[in-house]
Amino acid sequence: GNSVTQMEGPVTLSEEAFLTINCTYTATGYPSLFWYVQYPGEGLQLLLKATKADDKGSNKGFEATYRKETTSFHLEKGSVQVSDSAVYFCALSSNAGGTSYGKLTFGQGTILTVHP
Amino acid sequence: NAGVTQTPKFRILKIGQSMTLQCTQDMNHNYMYWYRQDPGMGLKLIYYSVGAGITDKGEVPNGYNVSRSTTEDFPLRLELAAPSQTSVYFCASLGDSPWGGEQYFGPGTRLTVT
């Protein structure tokens, strides 16, 4: 079956530090990969996505590259801000068997705290 | 445009009680989903729907039921609540492109069963 593994958290950084959150996956078919973010007290919202190998998703200074050879989709940001404090989820949607109903498989989430 | 709305925001149930979590979307999306989020865990899919009148089980459907009589509404029913159902429940919807498409999430319902 499909699975997503994220680096163990939580992660605590100072403002302007470099961020990496690791994500690896196992999937059948050709999955689409996503990063969702959950701010305190809110639902999840899409941060970025990539739908095929070597694609790079980017948004709000965050980037992630779909690496099929290493089955990874690591999230990076060059300079984090206090406002980036949130929970980050890596997820995939697989089209195994030729059907895709958009069902998401999530990693366990990584709590990011950024201090001034 | 409200997006995906969920009610209630919080609820405490006693063991054995029943309740319905409401979910409504105003984006005319065909696909809708119910997930649960347990502490320190990712979200797990309970049920999903690909259109009015069509529903199917996800990864963790036991103890839940759903219906989809309209495009807009996708209620989740808990029968005979158990402590293991204590969780945060999220409803989501997705537009016409399930392949790589963005899911839009509601704000969640925090349920405690005691």
Side-chain angles (χ1 to χ4, degrees), chain B residues 1-20:
Chain B
N1 193 343
V4 179
T5 58
Q6 292 182 239
T7 56
K9 284 186 166 43
F10 304 93
R11 184 72 185 269
I12 299 174
L13 280 182
K14 294 190 184 303
I15 295 170
Q17 288 185 322
S18 301
M19 77 165 293
T20 299

Side-chain angles (χ1 to χ4, degrees), chain A residues 30 36 49 89 100-102 107, chain B residues 33 37 42 90 98-100 103 105:
Chain A
Y30 301 94
Y36 279 84
K49 68 178 184 181
F89 291 94
S100 174
Y101 299 120
Chain B
Y33 310 86
Q37 182 183 24
F90 289 100
W99 175 239
Q103 288 193 18
F105 285 79

Side-chain angles (χ1 to χ4, degrees), chain A residues 2-78:
Chain A
N2 300 329
S3 67
V4 176
T5 302
Q6 287 182 235
M7 64 183 293
E8 296 294 326
V11 175
T12 302
L13 295 173
S14 297
E15 206 163 26
E16 298 183 2
F18 184 84
L19 169 70
T20 299
I21 301 177
N22 290 336
C23 171
T24 57
Y25 67 89
T26 302
T28 53
Y30 301 94
S32 290
L33 301 174
F34 305 84
W35 278 99
Y36 279 84
V37 59
Q38 183 180 30
Y39 297 103
E42 299 182 10
L44 283 70
Q45 55 187 273
L46 180 67
L47 180 60
L48 53 83
K49 68 178 184 181
T51 58
K52 62 182 187 295
D54 299 325
D55 268 2
K56 177 186 282 188
S58 61
N59 186 25
K60 299 181 181 179
F62 291 88
E63 293 182 341
T65 301
Y66 188 142
R67 300 286 188 202
K68 190 174 180 183
E69 63 276 12
T70 54
T71 61
S72 65
F73 193 54
H74 305 321
L75 182 68
E76 296 183 337
K77 187 175 185 183

